[in-house]
């Protein structure tokens, strides 16, 4: 199985819906959305739409460090008690899991790889310093890079 990685910088709140669009447009390919707790909290309602459509080739992993990394590293709602797995399950996503220990990693990975309905996994991690590199946040450059990568992989 080949994998293609597409990234969108500056699309806060849009990762899950971009992944949904890709999954619906390319039903023969497995789509994995890697997002963060802060990004997902910006558009948590996307989980309801995803649950209703329930594409069998979509998997979402939410890396939850309990902080808003893009805006100054303030505590996010998940560090204050909000449970994204419960929100996903409450939205109707039937295959969910929270991974917070090494022993749970294999089960979380298996859930993400399986087909037959959308999968949602919260990967709880310890907060760490942000990466030392500066990303290109120019919207036009990001859009062009995303389209080029997507069309080149078709």
């Amino acid at each position: 199985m080949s994998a293609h990685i597409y990234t969108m910088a500056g699309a806060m709140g849009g990762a899950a819906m971009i992944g949904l669009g890709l999954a619906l447009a390319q039903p023969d390919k497995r789509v994995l959305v890697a997002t963060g707790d802060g990004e997902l909290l910006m558009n948590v309602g996307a989980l309801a739409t995803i649950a209703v459509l329930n594409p069998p080739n979509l998997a979402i992993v939410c890396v939850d460090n309990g902080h808003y990394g893009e805006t100054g590293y303030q505590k996010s709602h998940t560090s204050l008690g909000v449970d994204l797995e419960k929100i996903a399950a409450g939205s109707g996503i039937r295959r969910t899991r929270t991974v917070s220990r090494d022993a749970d990693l294999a089960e979380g990975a298996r859930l993400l790889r399986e087909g037959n309905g959308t999968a949602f996994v919260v990967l709880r991690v310890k907060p760490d310093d942000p990466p030392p590199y500066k990303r290109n946040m120019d919207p036009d450059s990001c859009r062009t890079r995303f389209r080029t990568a997507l069309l080149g992989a078709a």
Side-chain angles (χ1 to χ4, degrees), residues 106-125:
E107 175 63 20
R110 183 193 60 75
L111 188 69
L112 292 171
R113 284 192 309 268
E114 287 181 352
N116 204 15
T118 300
F120 181 86
V121 172
V122 176
L123 177 60
R124 294 228 171 113
V125 298

Side-chain angles (χ1 to χ4, degrees), residues 61-137:
V61 61
C62 179
V63 181
D64 182 357
N65 67 357
H67 288 79
Y68 295 112
E70 292 291 322
T71 61
Y73 225 61
Q74 309 89 340
K75 285 186 174 185
S76 78
H77 292 57
T78 61
S79 70
L80 303 170
V82 171
D83 187 328
L84 290 170
E85 182 191 0
K86 287 182 181 177
I87 291 172
S91 295
I93 297 175
R94 291 185 288 274
R95 299 172 50 239
T96 67
R97 184 89 61 244
T98 294
V99 173
S100 55
R101 303 175 310 134
D102 287 348
D104 300 329
L105 280 171
E107 175 63 20
R110 183 193 60 75
L111 188 69
L112 292 171
R113 284 192 309 268
E114 287 181 352
N116 204 15
T118 300
F120 181 86
V121 172
V122 176
L123 177 60
R124 294 228 171 113
V125 298
K126 292 181 181 176
D128 201 352
D129 292 331
Y133 62 90
K134 179 122 175 104
R135 290 182 299 180
N136 179 355
M137 299 297 277

Side-chain angles (χ1 to χ4, degrees), residues 17 20 24 45-56 58 60 87-94 117-118:
M17 292 307 280
L20 174 63
L24 294 174
L47 296 177
T49 301
I50 290 167
V52 168
L53 296 173
N54 194 28
L58 179 61
I60 301 166
I87 291 172
S91 295
I93 297 175
R94 291 185 288 274
T118 300

